[in-house]
Amino acid sequence: MKAALIAIGAIVLLALIGVSKYYGVRNELVTAREAVNSQWSDVDVALQRRADLIPNLVNTVKGFAAHETEVYKSIADARAALGGARTPQDKIAANDQLSGALSRLLVIAENYPQLKSNENFLRLQDELAGTENRIAVERRKYNETLEHYNLEIQKFPANIVAGIAGFTRNDAYFKTEPGAREVPKVQF
């Protein structure tokens, strides 16, 4: 009888330890997932700031280069795509589209010396450069946070808890654009 009570007590103790470990790991995974969501919000804020600056920049450039309608349309389309994107993957794709359109706008500005000396344009260009730096920092932090989350759900025993609790891998990383690794050609 005493041995049976000891065995039952040991089983109950092991069950309590197992349940406690399960909830401890689950709470760590919830914390990691929420860190990803929080960091995504920081990226989203920086992307929205850039999207809000762009109309002012476009209007300034329009005053000097009114005939460049194709570029203005691509910027408007990219901003609309960014505004309509709901998932991180959609926002990342829309952001890449907006970056390409913005690059074309800045190339146009190079063709207009009087625009490059316009005080409003220079101020907006500086604000945009600062915002681009913020976006780069937030993207890096987001990717690091996402990597931490993905690593946590793969480690033992967290992988077991993750499978039971429904935590899945998130691959919504920011990646470099294919042409970004090419060395630019400089001619004198």
Side-chain angles (χ1 to χ4, degrees), residues 50 54 99 102 127-137 139:
R50 179 175 68 171
I54 289 173
S99 292
L102 189 57
E127 278 190 51
L128 188 60
T131 301
E132 292 294 336
N133 288 337
R134 288 184 200 150
I135 290 170
V137 168
R139 283 177 175 173

Side-chain angles (χ1 to χ4, degrees), residues 10-33:
I11 291 171
V12 168
L13 182 63
L14 286 174
L16 286 174
I17 291 172
V19 167
S20 174
K21 182 67 175 172
Y22 171 84
Y23 282 108
V25 170
R26 187 179 185 290
N27 288 340
E28 288 174 16
L29 293 176
V30 167
T31 301
R33 182 176 58 199

Side-chain angles (χ1 to χ4, degrees), residues 10 13 16 35 39 48 87 89 103 109 119 124 144 147 164 174:
L13 182 63
L16 286 174
Q39 192 58 51
Q48 186 60 50
T87 66
Q89 292 90 339
S103 296
E119 184 178 319
L124 288 168
E144 288 173 356
E147 178 184 32
I164 293 169
F174 279 97

Side-chain angles (χ1 to χ4, degrees), residues 29-40 142 145-146 148:
L29 293 176
V30 167
T31 301
R33 182 176 58 199
E34 287 308 308
V36 169
N37 292 338
S38 173
Q39 192 58 51
W40 174 254
Y142 170 77
T145 305
L146 189 57
H148 173 75

Side-chain angles (χ1 to χ4, degrees), residues 38-60:
S38 173
Q39 192 58 51
W40 174 254
S41 294
D42 292 346
V43 171
D44 208 19
V45 165
L47 292 175
Q48 186 60 50
R49 175 174 162 69
R50 179 175 68 171
D52 292 343
L53 279 173
I54 289 173
N56 296 330
L57 189 64
V58 168
N59 287 335
T60 303

Side-chain angles (χ1 to χ4, degrees), residues 50-117:
R50 179 175 68 171
D52 292 343
L53 279 173
I54 289 173
N56 296 330
L57 189 64
V58 168
N59 287 335
T60 303
V61 174
K62 271 185 182 178
F64 289 88
H67 60 281
E68 304 285 356
T69 56
E70 182 181 320
V71 173
Y72 305 137
K73 183 181 179 334
S74 67
I75 288 173
D77 292 346
R79 284 189 72 236
L82 187 60
R86 296 291 166 237
T87 66
Q89 292 90 339
D90 291 344
K91 287 190 179 193
I92 290 169
N95 175 62
D96 290 343
Q97 181 183 356
L98 185 59
S99 292
L102 189 57
S103 296
R104 289 189 299 277
L105 179 71
L106 294 175
V107 166
I108 288 172
E110 291 296 317
N111 295 329
Y112 295 89
Q114 66 274 32
L115 173 60
K116 292 192 319 187
S117 65

